Amino acid sequence: MPQIPELVFAMLACAKIGAVHSVVYGGFSYEALASRISDANSRVLITADGGSRRGKKIDLKSIADEAMKRSPTIEVCITVKYNGLDVNMEAERDFWYHNLKSLPIASSKCATVQLDAEDPLFILYTSGTTGKPKGMLHTHGGYSVYTSTTHRMAFDIKPADCWWCAADPGWITGHSYIVYGPLINASTIIMYEGAPNFPYPNRWWQMVEKYGINILYTSPTAIRGLMRFGDQWAKRHDLSSLRLLGSVGEPINPEAWRWFYEVIGNSKCPIIDTWWQTETGGFMICPLPITPLKPGLAAQPFFGNEIGVVDDDGNAVAVGEEGKLVIKNPWPGMARTIMGDDQRYAELYWGDYQGKGYYKAGDSAKIDQDGYIWVIGRMDEVLKVSGYRLGTSEIESALVSHPTVIEAAAIGLPHELKGNAIHTFVLLKEGVVGDKVLQDELKEHVANELGKIAKPEDVTFVDSLPKTRSGKIMRRVLKARALGLDEGDLSTLED
């Protein structure tokens, strides 16, 4: 669905009646939607006729229709009439949202179903290194307690606050800090369907001034994107209502941090830089408004969380040394399992470090002499692009599904705006000539398969890929070569 109130209504309605919801970001393709429907055995699909972006209408119902052709479990599709697109409606399956109240089975009374704290609340899919997205399962009690507590304390929430989390409910940030956390805390929330710089780069600052927004929580990608237009667009508006700023999705570079703090916050709004994941449910590392800040770091663990930076055996590394970020104790908001795969969940997140029971975050980090945690980035084969997680295997599989491609590898390289940009290396079938036309065709093919967020920045045609003797592509070698860095130990290379 687009980012409209009916999306939040649907999520809360599911929670009220004890149904498990699985929200899929509206920018994904029908294949991505169908795979998530299939994994969760979803019976009801709620969508809209369309959304809008940069003044253009986006046909969402057609994407839903294509997904349902591949999804035999769907029995009912409910469609919100939003932007007036002419859409296909199948009898006995498709229902207009606005007509539901006239159905014979409709009632104005709906009792809240009493549930156990550990009953499932929602599934949310996050990319994995194996290609198949992981359906993280969160429960009612712990998740609600944790999101509301982290939101209230990290951002010093007051009764009169106007809170804007500039994310999409289709991602965990939107689940936790647009819907559940803020509404449990009775915050006034802002939702906005549209781009930060349309029709002009002052769109966000215009909204802050118009609605008296007190707290703005957004991503480094959005900050960098607006920063490139200079200071004047922001200075056209009165931003004095702001008292706190927040960052989420990826480590924020110091230059963007300073611009956000000085230009948007007028050097008076602390920046609450948060580190957490779909799997954690809520903030794990973040400052409080009274914490002395350093540009570009996530600061210290939230109350009750014991965070470590360790080596491969789970031993703490020295101060200032890079290591693997771990969480040493359980917390209320943690995902309880991967949908339908308890064993995978146990092995993937809790199986390393000599049986010490540490949660493996998959990020590298270091702790400085003041005890502040600096999160550096992903250590596995999941790319962070504009704050969104994409599995390399998903991108590679999309490329190989093109009739000209026999093999592919994907890596993330630093990008000024996106944080990381997708660069791909492709082996073509014999007799196929790689040229600019085919490069563009492959980029569009990935976008059509996975959604525009996964569109590669670059496609490079190669004769071979660096592999281990067991056939595993060594993406770190490709990344090192692309960046002109030391390629490290190549002893396991096949050739």
Side-chain angles (χ1 to χ4, degrees), residues 18-84:
V20 180
H21 64 66
S22 170
V23 181
V24 179
Y25 172 57
F28 276 157
S29 67
Y30 66 83
E31 291 283 7
L33 174 58
S35 71
R36 285 153 175 79
I37 290 172
S38 175
D39 187 73
N41 288 314
S42 301
R43 294 173 52 211
V44 179
L45 177 61
I46 308 175
T47 186
D49 52 358
S52 62
R53 189 76 172 175
R54 298 186 183 279
K56 296 180 180 178
K57 294 184 177 182
I58 301 166
D59 186 350
L60 293 176
K61 182 59 164 60
S62 292
I63 295 173
D65 287 342
E66 287 298 319
M68 286 188 286
K69 288 179 182 177
R70 295 156 176 79
S71 307
T73 59
I74 292 294
E75 300 169 15
V76 171
C77 177
I78 298 168
T79 303
V80 177
K81 186 183 284 291
Y82 177 61
N83 65 4

Side-chain angles (χ1 to χ4, degrees), residues 205-443:
W205 320 131
Q206 187 181 48
M207 291 172 62
V208 169
E209 180 179 39
K210 180 177 180 180
Y211 298 109
I213 293 168
N214 307 120
I215 305 169
L216 172 60
Y217 184 44
T218 187
S219 69
T221 298
I223 295 164
R224 288 190 294 266
L226 292 167
M227 178 179 160
R228 63 193 286 261
F229 293 105
D231 302 353
Q232 292 307 311
W233 287 106
K235 289 182 176 179
R236 289 174 56 175
H237 298 278
D238 179 5
L239 306 182
S240 61
S241 63
L242 289 170
R243 65 178 184 86
L244 286 172
L245 301 171
S247 175
V248 60
E250 60 191 299
I252 184 171
N253 56 300
E255 184 182 3
W257 190 99
R258 291 189 183 94
W259 185 84
F260 200 32
Y261 179 75
E262 294 168 2
V263 177
I264 305 307
N266 195 28
S267 299
K268 68 178 180 65
C269 299
I271 296 178
I272 311 302
D273 183 15
T274 61
W275 177 87
W276 58 296
Q277 300 174 325
T278 303
E279 295 87 342
T280 73
F283 312 147
M284 300 303 293
I285 307 171
C286 63
L288 300 178
I290 60 170
T291 305
L293 300 177
K294 299 180 183 180
L297 90 170
Q300 297 167 337
F302 187 77
F303 309 140
N305 296 329
E306 188 178 351
I307 307 291
V309 178
V310 302
D311 60 19
D312 289 341
D313 295 323
N315 301 314
V317 301
V319 171
E321 183 179 328
E322 184 176 338
K324 299 179 177 182
L325 188 68
V326 297
I327 305 168
K328 295 184 177 181
N329 60 310
W331 62 101
M334 59 185 270
R336 297 310 196 251
T337 189
I338 295 172
M339 176 71 177
D341 202 340
D342 295 346
Q343 188 63 33
R344 184 185 178 199
Y345 175 71
E347 292 175 356
L348 186 61
Y349 293 106
W350 304 92
D352 290 353
Y353 310 120
Q354 307 298 318
K356 293 182 178 180
Y358 293 168
Y359 169 88
K360 180 175 68 175
D363 280 348
S364 60
K366 60 183 179 180
I367 301 177
D368 69 16
Q369 66 277 9
D370 297 320
Y372 282 35
I373 300 168
W374 296 76
V375 179
I376 297 165
R378 297 298 296 167
M379 297 187 72
D380 57 17
E381 295 164 4
V382 175
L383 309 181
K384 273 282 190 78
V385 181
S386 299
Y388 301 138
R389 294 174 69 180
L390 297 166
T392 54
S393 296
E394 288 182 285
I395 299 163
E396 292 159 5
S397 296
L399 282 165
V400 174
S401 70
H402 191 277
T404 65
V405 177
I406 194 167
E407 197 169 25
I411 61 171
L413 294 180
H415 188 278
E416 183 180 358
L417 297 179
K418 299 177 182 178
N420 279 290
I422 299 167
H423 287 247
T424 58
F425 300 83
V426 171
L427 273 74
L428 297 174
K429 292 183 177 178
E430 189 173 357
V432 178
V433 178
D435 55 18
K436 179 66 166 56
V437 173
L438 184 54
Q439 282 179 325
D440 292 342
E441 184 178 328
L442 291 174
K443 291 179 185 179

